[in-house]
Amino acid sequence: MDKLRITGNGPLEGEIAISGAKNAALPILCASLLTADTLRLTNVPQLRDVMTTQKLLRGMGMRVMTDNVHEIELTGASVDTLVAPYELVKTMRASILVLGPMLARFGEAQVSLPGGCAIGSRPVDQHIKGLQAMGAEIAIEHGYIKARASRLKGARVSTDMVTVTGTENLLMAAVLAEGTSILENAAREPEVVDLAECLIKMGARISGHGTDTIVVEGVERLHGAEHAVMPDRIETGTFLCATMIAGGKVLLRNTRAGILESVLDKLREAGGYIEAGDGWIAIEMRSRPKAVSLRTLPYPAFPTDMQAQFMAMNAIAEGTGVIAETIFENRYMHVSELARMGADIHVDGHTAVVRGVEKLSGATVMATDLRASASLVIAGLAAQGETIVDRIYHLDRGYEHIEAKLGGVGAKIERIQ
Ligand code: EPU
């Protein structure tokens, strides 16, 4: 199994090109199920989750062509297998995103229940509730969600909490439903907006995306389109945190400040000097960061997907930072691993109190989810000696060539067996 070896090595200097966003690419790939025509996508990140989604879609009969690793053409004319099997769904929860589009276009879908995952129980009851409100008949049998509807009907749906993939599933269902749907308490994440923009290019009639009320007027059919996936705001934030921890000056290209303002505000509070322009963000850090306190909440507040990386930064910061994780109940798996590197972190329920130490020390560490793994890699950049991050298949799910990108700005990092 691959590992990463990181040797603490002083400041980072140079440029990194940010990839397309994983969490926008996944729903947009699934949106290809909504039409028989070709959806052409560019700026698609080369990630294991993107490969898994392609495998899932191919298994349904989707024609998937890739002449360049970042460009994909999907043609849904011969989709005939309306099933997302357990073997794929268990490796990637986002597979649930095929439910809404399959049901909307074909009137039928079977998707394995995702079950629990490392960061919490993560139910999909809101996806089901919303589709039922649109007239779907849904049964849970043998571990599968079995859904049917002759044609979905527009409905007003208010989810009990803000759910990103829930909003995306209901949005993709509503675009082909008969009549108007109003999605209340909708997720405002930029990835939801990117999906809506792609659907609009395909002929969907959507307004209010980016606010908490999305209005969709269903149409009879969608057509092919071309769409460039938005930049990955979490990859962007991860490299910004890496620079805060290691010090130095790094320019991030192919990204934009407007999608991560809450993160930039916290980095400034921690002492980072940040500038941004059209398509780029630059960060400079020449001192030890100051600890910051934060609470994770739905967009536009601070993202749960950046919590672990800020924990790593606080671990070596001056002072004490208090972190509250309010989205997932079990997203502190990196704490015990950071502690093995010498971090001083005390967790009580949803709250973690991080007392900064002068230096971490390299160790062999392992994580059970994507962002936790990223936090260990960037902690390793400033640790004394060698850090080995085990089980990096988690990282490969969501970071494109992280070792090449960090190595390109001077980090001493290599993939080993
Ligand atoms: N929830 C329910 N019932 C539902 C849906 C959600 O109880 O039917 C709960 C969840 O258990 C959680 C909260 O609502 O406590 C919010 O979960 P949400 O549905 O928003 O999460 P998600 O859609 O499954 C996406 C991202 C995650 C990101 C979260 C929160 C994708 C593919 N995944 O997950 O990304 O952490 O939103 O922003 O978009 C990652 O990239 O590392 C990652 C985990």
Side-chain angles (χ1 to χ4, degrees), residues 35-56:
T35 175
D37 298 346
T38 299
L39 179 63
R40 186 179 148 70
L41 302 177
T42 59
N43 202 34
V44 180
Q46 197 187 12
L47 300 171
R48 201 156 61 90
D49 276 6
V50 168
M51 298 298 175
T52 306
T53 308
Q54 286 182 50
K55 192 169 169 191
L56 176 66

Side-chain angles (χ1 to χ4, degrees), residues 119-148:
I119 62 178
S121 64
R122 296 177 83 185
V124 290
D125 56 306
Q126 301 300 310
H127 303 230
I128 293 174
K129 178 182 113 169
L131 294 172
Q132 282 171 330
M134 293 183 195
E137 281 176 31
I138 300 187
I140 310 290
E141 283 170 13
H142 309 296
Y144 276 74
I145 304 167
K146 296 189 176 173
R148 273 183 188 281

Side-chain angles (χ1 to χ4, degrees), residues 16-271:
I16 300 178
I18 296 300
S19 298
K22 167 178 87 76
N23 290 347
L26 301 182
I28 291 171
L29 285 164
C30 295
S32 66
L33 286 166
L34 288 163
T35 175
D37 298 346
T38 299
L39 179 63
R40 186 179 148 70
L41 302 177
T42 59
N43 202 34
V44 180
Q46 197 187 12
L47 300 171
R48 201 156 61 90
D49 276 6
V50 168
M51 298 298 175
T52 306
T53 308
Q54 286 182 50
K55 192 169 169 191
L56 176 66
L57 294 171
R58 277 202 179 96
M60 292 174 174
M62 178 75 65
R63 195 160 146 256
V64 183
M65 307 278 285
T66 49
D67 5 300
N68 163 326
V69 287
H70 296 124
E71 294 177 12
I72 303 185
E73 280 187 9
L74 305 110
T75 311
S78 51
V79 171
D80 54 3
T81 308
L82 304 173
V83 182
Y86 175 67
E87 292 64 39
L88 289 177
V89 179
K90 75 172 184 204
T91 65
M92 190 189 65
R93 286 184 47 87
S95 311
I96 188 74
L97 286 165
V98 298
L99 178 61
M102 263 200 284
L103 190 58
R105 180 162 154 228
F106 300 101
E108 201 186 312
Q110 283 191 39
V111 179
S112 170
L113 274 172
C117 76
I119 62 178
S121 64
R122 296 177 83 185
V124 290
D125 56 306
Q126 301 300 310
H127 303 230
I128 293 174
K129 178 182 113 169
L131 294 172
Q132 282 171 330
M134 293 183 195
E137 281 176 31
I138 300 187
I140 310 290
E141 283 170 13
H142 309 296
Y144 276 74
I145 304 167
K146 296 189 176 173
R148 273 183 188 281
S150 48
R151 184 170 176 203
L152 292 172
K153 300 215 167 21
R156 177 185 290 268
V157 180
S158 183
T159 46
D160 296 351
M161 77 288 295
V162 176
T163 155
V164 175
T165 51
T167 302
E168 292 165 346
N169 237 337
L170 298 178
L171 178 60
M172 289 191 278
V175 291
L176 288 183
E178 189 183 339
T180 303
S181 296
I182 300 172
L183 307 181
E184 293 174 340
N185 203 21
R188 290 179 281 169
E189 268 65 6
E191 293 77 14
V192 175
V193 175
D194 205 36
L195 169 66
E197 281 169 2
C198 177
L199 292 169
I200 290 168
K201 289 178 192 162
M202 294 168 75
R205 298 178 67 184
I206 302 170
S207 60
H209 43 298
T211 76
D212 63 4
T213 306
I214 304 179
V215 180
V216 185
E217 276 178 60
V219 295
E220 291 276 337
R221 63 180 294 276
L222 295 188
H223 50 71
E226 178 164 341
H227 184 76
V229 175
M230 64 171 284
D232 197 312
R233 64 192 163 102
I234 306 301
E235 189 199 21
T236 303
T238 302
F239 291 134
L240 292 171
C241 278
T243 314
M244 292 294 288
I245 290 175
K249 187 173 181 183
V250 173
L251 176 68
L252 303 177
R253 292 203 180 279
N254 305 344
T255 188
R256 47 181 204 256
I259 52 179
L260 74 164
E261 292 292 358
S262 61
V263 171
L264 298 181
D265 285 349
K266 283 288 163 195
L267 293 173
R268 289 192 179 103
E269 192 184 322

